[in-house]
Amino acid sequence: EPDVTIVSGLKDMVVFEGDDVTFRCQVSHENARDVEWKLQDVALQNNEMNEISVEKGKIHTLTLRKVTEQDIGTIAFRVGPYVSTA
C-alpha cells in the first residue's frame, strides 16, 4: 500500500458564531485509510454538527455547522503518521 502523505494542508479560519466553516486537506492518494479529524484532541464523527467527506478521492473536508465559542481551538487532520493543523 503506498505511503499517503499530505499534499495541501489545512488553513487557519476566522468564523463568526453561528456560521459554518469548512476545512480542506488534500492527500497524495485516493482511498486513504487511517484518516482522522480532531478538534482540541477530541476525535470528530460524521453527524448533524460535523460533516466529514471526501471530494474527488483526495480532498478530505470537515464542515463544522453553526459554530459556537466552544468550537474555538485547533483542528487537526491526520493520515497515517502525517498531521496538519489549523
Side-chain angles (χ1 to χ4, degrees):
E1 191 168 301
D3 194 21
V4 178
T5 60
I6 294 173
V7 176
S8 174
L10 299 177
K11 308 228 178 335
D12 290 341
M13 306 291 271
V14 176
V15 188
F16 292 102
E17 195 165 18
D19 286 353
D20 295 350
V21 61
T22 299
F23 294 91
R24 287 183 177 78
C25 200
Q26 183 176 348
V27 298
S28 58
H29 295 78
E30 292 186 12
N31 304 319
R33 293 197 185 107
D34 194 23
V35 170
E36 184 177 50
W37 286 97
K38 286 185 173 183
L39 171 60
Q40 296 292 62
D41 286 332
V42 176
L44 298 176
Q45 305 297 323
N46 198 23
N47 58 36
E48 66 277 351
M49 297 307 292
N50 312 315
E51 183 184 320
I52 297 171
S53 62
V54 181
E55 299 171 2
K56 300 180 186 141
K58 295 183 183 179
I59 300 170
H60 292 256
T61 65
L62 165 67
T63 300
L64 301 178
R65 304 223 179 272
K66 298 183 178 66
V67 297
T68 66
E69 242 179 74
Q70 285 74 41
D71 295 318
I72 292 172
T74 302
I75 291 284
F77 172 81
R78 181 186 62 76
V79 58
Y82 305 101
V83 177
S84 177
T85 59

